[in-house]
Amino acid sequence: MIDHPMKGLSVEPVVRPPLREEIRKVLLDGLISGRWEPGERIVERRLAAELQVSQAPVREALRELEALRLVESAPNRGARVRGFTLDDLREVYQVRAGLEETATRLGRPPAAALRVHVARLHAAAAAGSLDDQVRHGVAFHREIVAASGNALLVSVWESLGVEVWTHVSIRLFRMRPHENAADHEPLVEAFERDDPQAGRLLHDHVLAYAPD
């Protein structure tokens, strides 16, 4: 008798993200890439057919994007991509700056971890990858927020959709992307020397990317 090759081995279950999250990513990628322009309708039925899913998870994903103020819906008219304005973008950066400054008062991030993110920013810039520049820039700031140890603050910060709004600002408003690793060096140095003004430096750093 031949033993089964997997006999005696523990097999980890394959964990897939919820269907709603996968659809949400498809929608976000479409907004970032310009598949759906501001004012354009997103047809639930059509997207469900394209993804070969029911309309329910598509509807749930659209509701999450509505909470991020990325889409808007009206009775009997479905969902449409919002017509973004500079005011929308400014408000996101203002709230974000305040949250990140507050985070530094609650806990200080490990400077070594921030150095890793800055190094990845440099590598992404050298490779000319805008997506990676944005991703690593947001990861740098997420490290700071997470160090606060305040779950509610982290949740509110995440609810802003920082990475998505960064892409939107670049695509629609040609804003300067969070790609300049040098901009992050003074922040790391401030945290390394435990500068009491580190929070204020971070606040001003974030607002520097907001439109006037």
Side-chain angles (χ1 to χ4, degrees):
M1 184 176 69
I2 300 175
D3 288 337
H4 192 281
M6 298 301 291
K7 186 177 181 180
L9 297 179
S10 61
V11 180
E12 294 293 330
V14 177
V15 179
R16 294 189 60 187
L19 185 57
R20 182 194 71 256
E21 290 185 15
E22 294 184 12
I23 297 170
R24 180 176 178 269
K25 185 178 185 306
V26 169
L27 287 164
L28 289 176
D29 289 345
L31 291 176
I32 291 169
S33 67
R35 173 181 176 180
W36 293 291
E37 297 291 343
E40 188 172 347
R41 186 182 174 203
I42 301 176
V43 183
E44 278 183 24
R45 183 179 64 257
R46 188 180 303 160
L47 184 59
E50 176 185 326
L51 300 176
Q52 299 182 352
V53 299
S54 69
Q55 288 183 235
V58 174
R59 190 174 303 119
E60 291 175 5
L62 284 170
R63 284 175 184 156
E64 291 187 9
L65 296 193
E66 188 171 9
L68 285 174
R69 301 192 307 156
L70 295 170
V71 302
E72 55 190 2
S73 61
N76 303 317
R77 298 180 62 184
R80 291 182 183 276
V81 179
R82 283 193 63 223
F84 308 116
T85 68
L86 287 175
D87 285 339
D88 292 323
L89 189 59
R90 187 181 302 111
E91 289 175 0
V92 170
Y93 279 103
Q94 288 171 341
V95 172
R96 178 185 161 191
L99 289 172
E100 293 190 22
E101 183 177 13
T102 299
T104 65
R105 297 197 192 106
L106 300 175
R108 289 301 174 101
L114 296 181
R115 283 282 178 203
V116 170
H117 293 304
V118 171
R120 290 171 178 167
L121 263 172
H122 279 297
S129 172
L130 180 58
D131 286 346
D132 285 345
Q133 289 168 41
V134 172
R135 181 161 56 87
H136 294 310
V138 172
F140 176 97
H141 290 270
R142 182 176 284 113
E143 190 82 48
I144 294 171
V145 174
S148 71
N150 187 304
L152 179 58
L153 190 150
V154 172
S155 177
V156 174
W157 186 88
E158 292 288 358
S159 75
L160 293 176
V162 173
E163 189 164 345
V164 177
W165 276 104
T166 301
H167 277 289
V168 168
S169 69
I170 295 168
R171 186 173 66 83
L172 296 184
F173 303 117
R174 302 294 187 268
M175 302 299 293
R176 186 162 57 105
H178 292 202
E179 66 188 57
N180 192 345
D183 286 353
H184 295 76
E185 294 284 359
L187 295 173
V188 179
E189 293 167 2
F191 287 121
E192 285 176 331
R193 63 176 181 269
D194 200 24
D195 189 334
Q197 294 300 313
R200 193 65 201 177
L201 288 172
L202 176 63
H203 178 277
D204 294 344
H205 164 88
V206 172
L207 284 188
Y209 291 101
D212 295 330

